[in-house]
Amino acid sequence: MEQTSCACPPGLGPDGECCSQGCAMCTQEGFQAQRSQLLGLLVSGSLEGFESVLDWLLSWEVLSREDYESLSLLGQPLSLLARRLLDTVWSKGAWGCEQLITAVQEAQADSRNPEPHGCWDPHSPHAARELQSHRPAIIRRLYGHVEGVLGLAQEQGFISQYECDAIRLPIFTSSQRARRLLDLASVKANGLAAFLLRHAQELPVPTALPFEAAPCQKYMSKLRTTVAAQSRFLSTYDGAENLCLEDIYTDSVLGVRTDVGSAGPLQKSPATLGLGELFHPHGHLNEDADTVLVVGEAGSGKSTLLQRLHSLWAAGRDFQEFLFVFPFSCRQLQRLDRPLSVRTLLFEHCCSPDVGQQDVLRFLLDHPDRVLLTFDGLDEFRFRFTDRERHCSPNDPTSIQNLLFNLLQGNLLKDARKVLTSRPDAVSALLRRYVRAELSLEGFSEEGIEMYMRKHHREPGVADCLLRLLRATSALRGLCRLPVFSWMVSKCHRELLQPGGGSPKTTTDMYLLILQHFLLHSSSPDQAAHGPGPGFLRGRLPSLLHLGCLALRGLGTCCYVFSAKQLQAAQVGPEDISLGFLVPAKGQGVRGGSAPLEFLHVTFQCFFAAFYLVLSADMPPTSLRHLFGCRRPSSSPLARLLPTLCIQRSEGPEGGVAAWLREAEPHNLQITAAFVAGLLSREHRSLLAECQASGKALLRRHACARWYLARSLRQHFHSIPPAVPGEAKSVHALPGFLWLIRSLYEMQEEQLAREAVRGLSVGHLKLTFCGVGPAECAALAFVLRHLRRPVALQLDYNSVGDIGVEQLLPCLGVCKALYLRDNDISDRGICKLIEHALSCEQLQKLALFNNRLTDDCTHSMAKLLACKRNFLALRLGNNHITAVGAAVLAQGLRSNSSLQFLGFWGNRVGDQGAQALAEVLGDHQSLKWLSLVGNNIGSVGAQALALMLERNMVLEELCLEENHLQDEGVCSLAKALKRNSSLKVLKLSNNRVTYLGAEALLQALERNDTILEVWC
């Protein structure tokens, strides 16, 4: 087929428009230059779009039959096939490149136009060739009729039963079945090709796109209505009120998790997204995968984020590239105990079509790229992810876990987008192999906290008073980073704002406050008016223990939705339910009978389980060892140190409690352990003592919890391998370490914290990618401030933020170095840090790259450089510092004689900033390493740095990659090298240096005996 014009797909021609005949894109060189864009077009849709491109190329004989077969291999990643296609077409020359571009455009037009264009001769003597020449149109005509055509062809003896079964395999879409029928006709010489030509001509011409057909349109309308109803009201935290999501939704910080070791240009960080950018190509881990993973700790707002996504789609405001959105809850799915298929999952457990179920399903299977499935709460799914059992048939039933895991892998509904939420600890390395992108939901920013409070309290003055309280209480403000705590503060605003109300400091404090709030609101009006008095908690103890027993049983069996039978087994009655902590389960419950119930949030379930462990008379104190990872105390001398009352075995076996604790998910066990530690703290002892018939029982539990916690910490520290001779001892925190620290913080015992770190001798404590937020910072500071030796604390790639920085200040005195890369810290947080650091003699190094620092914080940094005489390293890369900030820092450097490492890469200091720094550093007597990578420095800045090199005889490494240096500036640097006798490494990669600059450097090296490396 001869093509007389050239048309690039959108985005590939000049200015994003279609190009004209002979444009550079249609040459082999232009084709290679635009390879990445073409690759993106080929893999951006579904496999159907790619196969449509192949159909056009085969019909034009750009591809041979052998080429086509090599590009149609089942099970191969789409990106691999697309790259292979580009290589194949490039080898065909400029004509082949031009035809591919036209084929991409034709395939895009086919997806928008229902009627196939082109006609064929149904009586052609060369039937096989005619089938190939008109392949795209014939495939579209056969769509939806393949089953009938197969029956006729078999009836007339053109194909066998075996061949029919191979084409009918459920893993193929309707279009793929049509393609395989044509492929079969091309190799059979029994008249099948002629039969298909004649019969395809007789089939009705489609007048509408498949999704425009009546069954699909009706189902789309019903599905939107259903999803809109489910997402209208806030379905997290509170079952007592109907809070309109649109009125109170507040965006959380959504960060992109990227491969830290990946090569590529510098990127500004932290890379944060809006919800509408969820499917944009940011930091793809596996471009062939379909699943977007959103991780966040309990209470960070994952469920609410998905609810907002559903609401925006149902209202037609966003995510309209998807025609169908199917929301699922993992805690609900795990309750399905019978095998089910894709059809059953979508139509029986989400939304059922009223008419044309088969037509709707066929469209979903044929166009999976128009489908979005969301799965909320993988951490609440009792089955661990595995890829051992492959299941590819959408019609055959299988277990719910196998169905879910094969959906996530793409074995089912390949190219349908899936969004999966989970707590980080529940995501395995194996699952991450099937993840397209991983996003981290980090809770509210400080601005988000304020917005949330103002949306919840529109009455005059209330929000202002709450915000003043939060600003004055850093611990409470740190907790409010998580939306669940912001909701609690909003809910308990009267208790918090009343005179003498106190301010919660720990997580346990906050949950006891919300417990008091709910109990008061379920009390009689007189009692509620007078507030909680003596014995208030004791009067509700039976109900609280019933809820606690239910909660603990649920944790031990990975159950979060409770049937009437389970409620009865835990003796939970209507009075207990009326307290408000159990609410009707969201999503699909059991049909008929009483609606199943669930706790307000999984953290409430953990809290009540802890309450039961602390106050139940049937619970032996030694069962607490399962919470903190300790084995049963033995007859060793160390075990005999435990108080006698604590190690005595209780009457009878531990029974169900111990079994539940052993079987509970680790992340839930950790939260429960922290609550137990908090409830047993001295702060709350008097409150709980009124519920105990014997004060000794509470003391025994306290002694056990204290001993088990201390022992677990000692075991953790003893597991640290010895230091390499001559090097400082370094350790990366093992799993569970942070939760042990948080449990210790919840107990609020200074003596225990001091004992815990007494034997810790480590020079470098690494906590990167550990989900450290403000609450964890407070716990770390509470413990680490008791260290006897200075430590380098590395907290890179976490969510410390300004609030977390403030929480770290108490332990700054024992830090010799502090690494805070990629922590969303602003000028405000850093200024507070530096103000405190001025009086910390031990602190010598600060690493602050990839944050939100601007020129506004440079005055504080300049003061740090000028005042701290032993300060060694300041790294400020990838922030937003300009020439103004560089000039301010230069003034601080004038009075500094200790700094050895200064990192400025990825800022915007430009020539003026480089001049200001160079002028000061010419006489600096200690700086050994200077990085100005990616700072828009040109020849003027290079000349200033060259003058600095002529005077400075201390600097050993200068990094100037990715700037705008030209030969003029490089020649100036080369001239300086002839006089410099200290520089060992000069990095100039990715600048605008030609052979002239390179030649000048070579000549300079002939007269310089010191320099070891030049990167150019």
Side-chain angles (χ1 to χ4, degrees):
M1 179 177 177
E2 183 179 352
Q3 300 295 315
T4 58
S5 64
C6 166
C8 287
L12 291 177
D15 302 320
E17 299 177 354
C18 296
C19 68
S20 60
Q21 176 80 11
C23 80
M25 182 63 211
C26 298
T27 67
Q28 282 184 291
E29 294 78 8
F31 184 85
Q32 285 294 87
Q34 300 292 334
R35 181 184 173 96
S36 62
Q37 290 175 264
L38 269 172
L39 181 64
L41 280 174
L42 291 172
V43 304
S44 60
S46 65
L47 185 61
E48 170 63 28
F50 177 78
E51 290 182 340
S52 296
V53 173
L54 296 184
D55 293 336
W56 284 103
L57 293 176
L58 183 62
S59 70
W60 296 335
E61 298 184 1
V62 177
L63 297 178
S64 66
R65 175 59 61 175
E66 291 76 13
D67 292 333
Y68 176 81
E69 290 176 355
S70 71
L71 294 166
S72 304
L73 297 176
L74 287 175
Q76 294 292 318
L78 180 56
S79 62
L80 176 64
L81 296 176
R83 289 185 175 92
R84 190 178 295 167
L85 173 62
L86 294 177
D87 293 338
T88 302
V89 169
W90 185 83
S91 68
K92 308 285 184 180
W95 174 77
C97 298
E98 179 183 341
Q99 298 296 77
L100 174 61
I101 295 166
T102 307
V104 171
Q105 189 179 44
E106 291 287 356
Q108 291 174 339
D110 285 347
S111 67
R112 298 187 294 267
N113 182 16
E115 186 174 348
H117 49 80
C119 57
W120 57 90
D121 180 4
H123 306 290
S124 171
H126 307 290
R129 184 181 301 173
E130 193 76 3
L131 276 182
Q132 178 170 317
S133 297
H134 297 278
R135 182 182 177 91
I138 293 174
I139 288 173
R140 298 196 70 193
R141 188 72 70 88
L142 288 173
Y143 180 86
H145 304 283
V146 177
E147 187 62 34
V149 172
L150 281 175
L152 283 174
Q154 184 182 2
E155 186 179 306
Q156 297 183 26
F158 291 117
I159 55 178
S160 67
Q161 181 64 48
Y162 175 80
E163 290 167 332
C164 278
D165 291 342
I167 292 173
R168 286 183 175 128
L169 285 175
I171 62 173
F172 297 137
T173 66
S174 295
S175 298
Q176 288 173 330
R177 290 182 183 131
R179 291 186 180 96
R180 274 146 187 82
L181 181 56
L182 295 189
D183 293 342
L184 182 63
S186 70
V187 297
K188 290 182 75 78
N190 64 350
L192 177 59
F195 165 79
L196 290 177
L197 274 180
R198 293 192 305 272
H199 194 74
Q201 186 75 17
E202 298 169 0
L203 293 173
V205 177
T207 58
L209 293 171
F211 73 87
E212 294 175 341
C216 283
Q217 286 294 312
K218 289 182 179 179
Y219 184 60
M220 288 164 56
S221 176
K222 181 179 181 180
L223 184 60
R224 282 186 186 272
T225 302
T226 302
V227 173
Q230 291 174 351
S231 59
R232 182 179 179 186
F233 295 105
L234 184 65
S235 63
T236 308
Y237 312 145
D238 194 2
E241 297 177 291
N242 286 327
L243 301 175
C244 182
L245 184 70
E246 183 68 25
D247 293 338
I248 58 97
Y249 178 79
T250 305
D251 284 322
S252 293
V253 177
L254 190 63
V256 183
R257 297 289 295 272
T258 57
D259 184 0
V260 178
S262 61
L266 292 172
Q267 297 181 350
K268 288 293 176 185
S269 232
T272 56
L273 304 177
L275 178 57
E277 301 173 278
L278 195 63
F279 302 103
H280 288 198
H282 297 279
H284 283 177
L285 305 176
N286 178 359
E287 61 184 8
D288 294 310
D290 308 321
T291 300
V292 174
L293 173 65
V294 179
V295 297
E297 60 183 292
S300 59
K302 301 182 293 295
S303 299
T304 307
L305 179 88
L306 286 186
Q307 194 176 346
R308 177 63 169 173
L309 183 157
H310 301 152
S311 175
L312 291 173
W313 174 79
R317 293 166 56 187
D318 209 339
F319 307 106
Q320 296 308 291
E321 64 269 30
F322 303 111
L323 298 179
F324 304 90
V325 172
F326 297 95
F328 296 101
S329 163
C330 289
R331 63 162 56 178
Q332 292 283 0
L333 289 179
Q334 73 172 354
R335 304 179 72 234
L336 305 177
D337 54 4
R338 64 182 179 89
L340 64 165
S341 63
V342 170
R343 177 204 296 265
T344 309
L345 177 70
L346 300 182
F347 295 162
E348 293 186 17
H349 297 283
C350 187
C351 180
S352 176
D354 295 325
V355 295
Q357 186 176 115
Q358 186 59 39
D359 293 334
V360 173
L361 180 64
R362 183 173 63 212
F363 179 84
L364 296 177
L365 298 178
D366 289 352
H367 302 276
D369 56 311
R370 310 305 299 273
V371 176
L372 170 64
L373 301 97
T374 65
F375 299 98
D376 186 28
L378 180 70
D379 51 285
E380 298 177 354
F381 198 62
R382 68 175 179 269
F383 305 101
R384 298 282 70 81
F385 178 82
T386 177
D387 59 0
R388 293 179 180 175
E389 188 175 348
R390 190 178 178 92
H391 184 83
C392 302
S393 172
N395 298 317
D396 294 338
T398 185
S399 64
I400 182 58
Q401 65 268 29
N402 199 34
L403 185 67
L404 174 59
F405 297 158
N406 278 278
L407 282 168
L408 296 178
Q409 293 172 67
N411 297 329
L412 291 168
L413 286 182
K414 175 63 180 170
D415 297 321
R417 282 287 183 263
K418 298 100 182 178
V419 180
L420 176 69
T421 69
S422 176
R423 280 180 270 180
D425 293 343
V427 181
S428 65
L430 179 61
L431 174 58
R432 282 191 166 93
R433 289 172 50 189
Y434 300 98
V435 167
R436 184 178 185 87
E438 182 175 345
L439 308 178
S440 175
L441 192 61
E442 299 169 1
F444 291 150
S445 63
E446 291 207 57
E447 295 76 14
I449 294 173
E450 179 173 351
M451 185 180 298
Y452 181 91
M453 294 300 171
R454 294 197 183 281
K455 284 186 174 182
H456 270 259
H457 300 283
R458 301 183 185 276
E459 58 271 33
V462 175
D464 291 332
C465 292
L466 276 176
L467 291 170
R468 280 196 297 270
L469 173 67
L470 293 179
R471 294 188 191 106
T473 317
S474 62
L476 184 58
R477 192 165 80 253
L479 291 175
C480 284
R481 180 184 67 91
L482 294 183
V484 66
F485 285 102
S486 288
W487 170 77
M488 289 185 194
V489 167
S490 175
K491 195 78 175 171
C492 302
H493 67 278
R494 290 187 176 87
E495 291 90 337
L496 288 168
L497 295 178
Q498 68 184 7
S503 178
K505 185 176 182 180
T506 67
T507 300
T508 310
D509 295 344
M510 199 66 239
Y511 277 78
L512 283 172
L513 180 65
I514 197 74
L515 173 65
Q516 173 185 307
H517 174 88
F518 271 71
L519 294 182
L520 276 176
H521 279 69
S522 63
S523 303
S524 63
D526 290 341
Q527 189 174 12
H530 291 89
F536 174 72
L537 197 60
R538 184 171 60 248
R540 297 302 184 97
L541 185 60
S543 290
L544 298 179
L545 290 178
H546 293 161
L547 293 174
C549 181
L550 178 71
L552 186 57
R553 286 185 179 185
L555 294 182
T557 57
C558 199
C559 177
Y560 308 96
V561 179
F562 304 99
S563 64
K565 185 177 180 180
Q566 290 169 312
L567 296 174
Q568 185 178 6
Q571 300 179 6
V572 175
E575 182 181 351
D576 309 326
I577 296 172
S578 68
L579 297 181
F581 296 105
L582 287 174
V583 295
K586 301 135 190 120
Q588 298 294 317
V590 293
R591 299 177 186 271
S594 302
L597 301 179
E598 62 187 0
F599 282 91
L600 290 174
H601 190 260
V602 67
T603 54
F604 278 90
Q605 188 168 343
C606 294
F607 174 74
F608 278 103
F611 199 91
Y612 181 82
L613 290 170
V614 169
L615 289 178
S616 173
D618 301 329
M619 212 289 298
T622 50
S623 294
L624 295 179
R625 69 178 183 276
H626 300 289
L627 284 174
F628 302 107
C630 288
R631 294 181 292 272
R632 183 182 292 277
S634 64
S635 58
S636 66
L638 182 62
R640 289 196 293 270
L641 295 177
L642 189 66
T644 305
L645 285 175
C646 185
I647 63 172
Q648 286 178 345
R649 295 194 183 187
S650 59
E651 294 296 322
E654 293 177 358
V657 172
W660 295 334
L661 292 176
R662 282 194 299 268
E663 296 300 321
E665 291 293 333
H667 36 266
N668 290 332
L669 208 60
Q670 290 166 346
I671 297 174
T672 306
F675 280 132
V676 165
L679 289 170
L680 290 171
S681 67
R682 289 192 177 94
E683 177 74 18
H684 303 304
R685 188 174 299 169
S686 60
L687 176 65
L688 300 187
E690 67 182 48
C691 302
Q692 282 281 355
S694 170
K696 291 182 179 179
L698 198 60
L699 289 174
R700 279 198 295 268
R701 285 176 168 79
H702 175 267
C704 278
R706 193 180 190 280
W707 189 84
Y708 289 137
L709 178 55
R711 177 172 176 170
S712 293
L713 281 165
R714 285 196 296 271
Q715 289 174 345
H716 182 91
F717 293 146
H718 289 162
S719 67
I720 300 172
V724 176
E727 296 184 8
K729 191 172 185 179
S730 177
V731 59
H732 194 297
L734 299 176
F737 170 73
L738 269 179
W739 278 100
L740 288 173
I741 295 294
R742 285 200 65 173
S743 296
L744 201 156
Y745 176 71
E746 292 291 320
M747 196 167 274
Q748 287 289 299
E749 287 197 25
E750 296 279 354
Q751 182 61 32
L752 184 57
R754 192 175 293 109
E755 293 173 2
V757 298
R758 180 184 299 161
L760 180 61
S761 177
V762 59
H764 191 121
L765 183 58
K766 193 174 182 181
L767 289 160
T768 58
F769 289 111
C770 286
V772 176
E776 289 75 20
C777 289
L780 282 169
F782 180 78
V783 176
L784 296 182
R785 62 181 173 174
H786 297 293
L787 283 171
R788 297 180 177 181
R789 298 178 181 176
V791 65
L793 181 58
Q794 188 168 354
L795 296 173
D796 297 337
Y797 303 104
N798 284 296
S799 308
V800 172
D802 293 343
I803 305 174
V805 167
E806 190 172 345
Q807 302 287 54
L808 285 172
L809 296 183
C811 74
L812 201 59
V814 298
C815 293
K816 60 183 178 183
L818 185 59
Y819 303 88
L820 292 169
R821 177 176 185 168
D822 216 332
N823 269 287
D824 197 32
I825 301 170
S826 73
D827 297 328
R828 180 171 50 186
I830 290 306
C831 289
K832 286 186 178 180
L833 176 69
I834 292 176
E835 180 183 353
H836 199 82
L838 290 171
S839 59
C840 297
E841 184 64 27
Q842 304 287 354
L843 187 65
Q844 296 180 321
K845 299 178 182 178
L846 275 178
L848 303 170
F849 26 74
N850 290 39
N851 282 290
R852 294 188 287 122
L853 308 185
T854 70
D855 296 333
D856 291 342
C857 70
T858 53
H859 290 280
S860 294
M861 292 179 182
K863 186 176 181 181
L864 178 75
L865 293 174
C867 297
K868 275 191 70 68
R869 302 299 181 182
N870 64 341
F871 199 71
L872 301 178
L874 181 62
R875 301 174 189 266
L876 303 171
N878 275 22
N879 281 287
H880 308 280
I881 298 173
T882 69
V884 175
V888 173
L889 279 170
Q891 295 303 313
L893 286 169
R894 288 187 186 278
S895 304
N896 179 278
S897 59
S898 63
L899 194 70
Q900 297 180 7
F901 301 90
L902 181 58
F904 262 102
W905 64 94
N907 282 284
R908 301 191 300 270
V909 303
D911 284 335
Q912 291 184 353
Q915 286 177 305
L917 291 169
E919 180 183 354
V920 173
L921 294 177
D923 299 321
H924 203 275
Q925 298 301 309
S926 62
L927 193 70
K928 295 180 179 180
W929 180 86
L930 174 63
S931 175
L932 292 167
V933 175
N935 267 282
N936 301 327
I937 298 174
S939 297
V940 174
Q943 289 170 0
L945 291 168
L947 292 175
M948 179 269 292
L949 286 178
E950 292 183 10
R951 295 161 51 198
N952 187 300
M953 296 302 157
V954 179
L955 190 68
E956 296 180 359
E957 184 169 343
L958 177 60
C959 306
L960 296 172
E961 303 105 300
E962 299 182 22
N963 280 293
H964 303 309
L965 304 187
Q966 298 181 5
D967 290 333
E968 181 183 1
V970 172
C971 288
S972 299
L973 291 169
K975 181 180 178 182
L977 289 180
K978 296 177 182 179
R979 301 182 182 181
N980 184 278
S981 61
S982 65
L983 198 68
K984 296 179 181 179
V985 179
L986 176 62
K987 296 182 179 181
L988 300 171
S989 306
N990 297 329
N991 279 288
R992 302 170 182 174
V993 184
T994 71
Y995 75 95
L996 294 175
E999 185 177 4
L1001 286 171
L1002 287 173
Q1003 292 175 359
L1005 292 178
E1006 293 177 357
R1007 299 177 56 181
N1008 187 305
D1009 298 329
T1010 309
I1011 198 156
L1012 302 176
E1013 300 177 31
V1014 175
W1015 298 19
C1016 193

